Amino acid sequence: QAMSQAASRLAKIEAQRIRTALKRMTSGEYGYCINCEEEIAEGRLRVDPSVLTCIDCARAADGG
Protein backbone atom coordinates (compact mmCIF):
# COMPACT_ATOMS: atom_id res chain seq x y z
CA GLN A 1 0.00 0.00 0.00
CA ALA A 2 2.85 2.41 0.77
CA MET A 3 4.31 1.85 -2.69
CA SER A 4 0.94 2.56 -4.28
CA GLN A 5 0.61 5.80 -2.32
CA ALA A 6 4.14 6.85 -3.27
CA ALA A 7 3.43 6.12 -6.94
CA SER A 8 0.25 8.15 -6.73
CA ARG A 9 2.10 11.10 -5.19
CA LEU A 10 4.76 10.95 -7.92
CA ALA A 11 2.06 10.85 -10.62
CA LYS A 12 0.40 13.94 -9.12
CA ILE A 13 3.72 15.79 -9.00
CA GLU A 14 4.46 14.89 -12.62
CA ALA A 15 0.99 15.98 -13.71
CA GLN A 16 1.52 19.33 -11.99
CA ARG A 17 4.89 19.76 -13.71
CA ILE A 18 3.22 19.10 -17.07
CA ARG A 19 0.43 21.58 -16.35
CA THR A 20 3.03 24.19 -15.41
CA ALA A 21 4.96 23.56 -18.64
CA LEU A 22 1.77 23.91 -20.69
CA LYS A 23 0.93 27.23 -18.97
CA ARG A 24 4.47 28.46 -19.68
CA MET A 25 4.02 27.52 -23.35
CA THR A 26 0.81 29.51 -23.52
CA SER A 27 2.38 32.54 -21.86
CA GLY A 28 5.54 32.43 -23.99
CA GLU A 29 7.79 31.70 -21.01
CA TYR A 30 8.47 28.07 -21.90
CA GLY A 31 12.11 27.27 -22.55
CA TYR A 32 13.43 30.09 -20.39
CA CYS A 33 14.95 29.63 -16.95
CA ILE A 34 12.76 30.86 -14.10
CA ASN A 35 15.86 32.09 -12.25
CA CYS A 36 18.15 33.80 -14.76
CA GLU A 37 15.68 34.05 -17.70
CA GLU A 38 18.25 32.60 -20.13
CA GLU A 39 17.17 29.98 -22.64
CA ILE A 40 17.16 26.40 -21.42
CA ALA A 41 19.21 24.18 -23.73
CA GLU A 42 17.12 22.19 -26.20
CA GLY A 43 18.79 18.95 -25.13
CA ARG A 44 17.84 19.58 -21.51
CA LEU A 45 14.23 20.17 -22.52
CA ARG A 46 14.26 16.98 -24.60
CA VAL A 47 15.31 14.99 -21.54
CA ASP A 48 12.67 16.66 -19.34
CA PRO A 49 10.21 18.97 -21.10
CA SER A 50 8.89 20.22 -17.76
CA VAL A 51 12.25 21.47 -16.45
CA LEU A 52 12.12 25.06 -15.18
CA THR A 53 15.79 25.99 -14.89
CA CYS A 54 18.86 26.04 -17.09
CA ILE A 55 21.70 23.68 -16.24
CA ASP A 56 23.76 26.42 -14.58
CA CYS A 57 20.95 27.40 -12.21
CA ALA A 58 20.13 23.74 -11.54
CA ARG A 59 23.76 23.08 -10.59
CA ALA A 60 23.86 26.16 -8.38
CA ALA A 61 20.70 25.03 -6.60
CA ASP A 62 22.27 21.61 -5.98
CA GLY A 63 25.32 23.25 -4.49
CA GLY A 64 27.52 22.37 -7.44
Side-chain angles (χ1 to χ4, degrees):
Q1 186 177 3
M3 286 180 66
S4 175
Q5 289 174 345
S8 177
R9 276 193 301 274
L10 288 175
K12 287 178 185 178
I13 291 168
E14 185 63 19
Q16 180 58 48
R17 287 173 52 106
I18 292 168
R19 282 192 296 274
T20 298
L22 291 171
K23 286 179 187 175
R24 289 174 52 83
M25 284 178 188
T26 302
S27 71
E29 296 175 354
Y30 182 78
Y32 293 92
C33 179
I34 62 170
N35 293 329
C36 69
E37 299 180 359
E38 293 293 322
E39 278 192 68
I40 300 171
E42 184 179 332
R44 182 165 168 76
L45 289 170
R46 262 192 252 128
V47 170
D48 182 356
S50 65
V51 72
L52 298 173
T53 57
C54 67
I55 193 69
D56 291 335
C57 288
R59 284 182 180 146
D62 287 341

